[in-house]
Amino acid sequence: MNQIEMNFAAPATPDQQGASVHKTDIKGKRVGLFVTCLVDLFRPTVGFAAVKLLEDAGFELEVPRDQTCCGQPAYNSGDKEDAKALAKQVIKTFESYDYIVAPSGSCTGMIRKHYPSLLADDPKWAERAVNLAGKTYELVSFLVDVAGIEAVSSHFTGSVTYHDSCSGLRELGIKDQPRKLLASVPGVDLKEMADNDVCCGFGGTFSVKYPDISDAIVTKKTRNITEAGAGTLLAGDMGCLMNMAGKLKRDGSAIQVRHIAEVLADMADGPAIGEKSGR
C-alpha cells in the first residue's frame, strides 16, 4: 500500500469549494488517482495535492491499493513482456472508474498512447486497453479540459518559470492548461524561460544509458531556467523535476523546484524538491 493510498483508500467526500465552471456533469463521477512511482517514493506531497485538487473539483475520488507501475521503464527498455503484465494490472485496477487521473504526463502518455498498441494482438485485452486509454488524463489537463476548471483556490507569492515536459507536450498537447490555472493564482508572476519546450535530458532510462548527453542537455536547460530570473521552477512530471533540481543543486542554485500541483493546491509551503525536511 503506497503512502497516498493509506490516507485516501476510501471514497472522498466531494467538496465543491474551489471548483469553477464545469464542462461536464461531474455529479457521481468516480476518479481513480494513479499516483505514479516517483510521486509515491520521492514526493508524496504531489499525490496529496492531486487529491485536494480533485476533491475541490467535486469528484468522488479513490486511490486503489492494487495499482502498480504503469510499465513505462520496461516498455522503453524493450522488455515488452513485463510491460504487458504491468499494463494488464493497471487495466484491471482502474477500468471500473469513470476517469483515471495521474499527476504525470509521461505515465498518462504510456497509458493513453502505448497501451492500445502494446496489447493490440491480445484479443482478451485489446479492447480493454483502448477503453482505459480513452478515459485517462494528466491532472492539470483533466481539470481544465474535462472538468472545465478556470480557477483554483490558492495563493503563491513569487516568480515562477514553467518547463513543458516532453510527454505532456508532444503526446498529450499540454501547453496552455498549466499556464491558465497558474494565472488564476494570486501572487504568481510567470517568467517564461527560453526554449521552455526543449527536453531537460531526463528521458527515464536515457539519463542512465547516456549520462554525458543527458548532462549536456540539462546544463543548457538549467542555464535557461536561471536566466529567466524566477525563484521557482515548475513542471508536471517528477522525473523532469528531479533531474533539473539535481543539476540546479549541484550548481549551487537557490531556485526552488516544485510540481505545479503543489502550487495549484496551495501546498507549496514545505521543502522544495531536493531540499531537506525542516529547511
Side-chain angles (χ1 to χ4, degrees):
M1 183 181 296
N2 61 52
Q3 297 181 55
I4 309 301
E5 186 270 329
M6 285 191 293
N7 288 277
F8 295 98
T13 301
D15 178 3
Q16 296 294 342
Q17 309 243 339
S20 183
V21 178
H22 299 280
K23 291 183 180 179
T24 58
D25 181 5
I26 64 172
K27 185 176 181 180
K29 295 294 185 181
R30 297 171 62 239
V31 170
L33 179 64
F34 187 84
V35 176
T36 85
C37 299
L38 294 182
V39 167
D40 180 42
L41 296 173
F42 294 102
R43 194 69 172 177
T45 308
V46 175
F48 293 118
V51 167
K52 182 179 185 299
L53 289 166
L54 291 167
E55 285 185 338
D56 285 353
F59 290 96
E60 180 181 329
L61 179 67
E62 297 179 41
V63 185
R65 69 177 60 206
D66 293 333
Q67 62 181 288
T68 60
C69 174
C70 68
Q72 183 180 182
Y75 180 79
N76 289 345
S77 299
D79 183 3
K80 290 195 174 183
E81 289 309 308
D82 280 336
K84 287 180 180 180
L86 288 166
K88 292 174 182 178
Q89 176 63 26
V90 171
I91 293 170
K92 286 191 296 183
T93 302
F94 284 94
E95 62 185 348
S96 66
Y97 293 95
D98 296 304
Y99 301 106
I100 299 88
V101 176
S104 164
S106 61
C107 295
T108 302
M110 178 66 191
I111 298 172
R112 283 186 67 93
K113 300 296 182 180
H114 302 294
Y115 274 19
S117 59
L118 182 65
L119 297 171
D121 59 350
D122 190 328
K124 294 183 179 180
W125 291 93
E127 184 176 357
R128 294 168 73 179
V130 171
N131 290 339
L132 191 78
K135 56 184 179 179
T136 301
Y137 295 88
E138 184 271 342
L139 174 64
V140 178
S141 174
F142 179 75
L143 292 173
V144 174
D145 299 331
V146 178
I149 301 297
E150 297 181 347
V152 293
S153 298
S154 180
H155 186 276
F156 180 90
T157 302
S159 57
V160 304
T161 191
Y162 192 85
H163 165 71
D164 296 292
S165 302
C166 293
S167 293
L169 177 65
R170 294 170 177 83
E171 290 189 326
L172 305 173
I174 300 170
K175 177 75 173 182
D176 297 332
Q177 299 94 324
R179 291 167 174 83
K180 179 176 182 177
L181 293 187
L182 284 173
S184 75
V185 179
V188 167
D189 177 17
L190 178 62
K191 298 179 179 293
E192 295 285 10
M193 74 177 86
D195 297 328
N196 51 22
D197 58 352
V198 172
C199 178
C200 74
F202 177 61
T205 55
F206 173 85
S207 60
V208 178
K209 293 179 179 178
Y210 307 103
D212 292 339
I213 300 175
S214 176
D215 183 64
I217 296 172
V218 76
T219 296
K220 293 181 180 179
K221 173 59 68 171
T222 53
R223 184 183 305 127
N224 289 336
I225 293 168
T226 301
E227 291 176 353
T232 300
L233 167 66
L234 302 177
D237 268 283
M238 274 303 301
C240 301
L241 287 163
M242 291 171 64
N243 187 48
M244 294 182 291
K247 180 62 175 176
L248 287 167
K249 290 301 178 185
R250 291 192 296 274
D251 289 344
S253 174
I255 296 172
Q256 293 196 338
V257 181
R258 298 185 182 278
H259 193 286
I260 185 175
E262 296 174 293
V263 171
L264 297 180
D266 205 13
M267 296 174 65
D269 53 350
I273 295 170
E275 292 183 348
K276 293 181 180 180
S277 298
R279 176 173 173 177

